[in-house]
């Protein structure tokens, strides 16, 4: 398994519009699109930045993972996402290395990506997303 690049940085926000005022208005990034991922109870936007992207995540449900994250830690960086070419093989390899997986199998991510999360208890407190895009 090889991590190809930092695909995106996921940031938990209370209100997308308020955050876009900062990321677009103040910092000058350009919004690439907004999508609701029902399964994860989030509305998500991507703002490309060089080889990577900034992902802003707003919860659509008070019980969703982003709402819980903000309740516990406040707004801020929630995960780092690394691009892999074969996510199933990467998960299999990490499992044999003893890494605790949140997702044993990839699930649907924004933009049609296949994604899976590794448990922060196995990665020194960092929530890592693996991401395969066609
Ligand atoms: Zn992400």
């Amino acid at each position: 398994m090889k991590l190809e690049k930092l695909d995106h940085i996921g940031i938990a926000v209370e209100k997308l519009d308020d955050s876009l005022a900062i990321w677009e208005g103040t910092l000058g990034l350009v919004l690439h699109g907004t999508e609701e991922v029902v399964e994860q109870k989030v509305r998500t936007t991507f703002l490309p930045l060089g080889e990577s992207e900034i992902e802003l995540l707003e919860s659509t449900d008070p019980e969703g993972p982003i709402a819980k994250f903000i309740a516990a830690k406040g707004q801020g960086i929630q995960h780092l996402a690394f691009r892999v070419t074969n996510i199933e093989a990467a998960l299999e390899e990490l499992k044999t290395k003893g890494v605790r997986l949140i997702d044993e199998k990839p699930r649907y991510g924004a933009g049609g990506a296949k994604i899976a999360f590794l448990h922060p208890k196995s990665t020194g407190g960092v929530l890592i997303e693996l991401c395969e895009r066609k």
Side-chain angles (χ1 to χ4, degrees), residues 108-122:
Y108 176 85
K114 288 200 278 186
I115 66 168
F117 287 95
L118 313 183
H119 200 287
K121 286 220 158 83
S122 288

Side-chain angles (χ1 to χ4, degrees), residues 7-79:
D7 188 85
H8 64 268
I9 297 170
I11 300 174
V13 306
E14 280 170 5
K15 292 201 184 319
L16 276 183
D17 287 346
D18 293 350
S19 291
L20 285 172
I22 299 166
W23 289 94
E24 279 190 304
T26 308
L27 296 172
L29 298 187
V30 177
L31 178 65
H32 189 244
T34 300
E35 180 179 346
E36 185 167 340
V37 182
V38 176
E39 183 184 283
Q40 290 175 64
K41 302 181 171 79
V42 290
R43 192 170 303 116
T44 173
T45 69
F46 280 89
L47 300 112
L49 175 58
E51 290 276 293
S52 300
E53 297 188 82
I54 300 295
E55 177 186 29
L56 303 177
L57 301 137
E58 176 193 74
S59 188
T60 57
D61 184 317
E63 294 302 309
I66 294 301
K68 286 181 179 165
F69 177 89
I70 290 174
K73 297 183 178 172
Q75 297 187 98
I77 294 176
Q78 196 250 353
H79 66 270

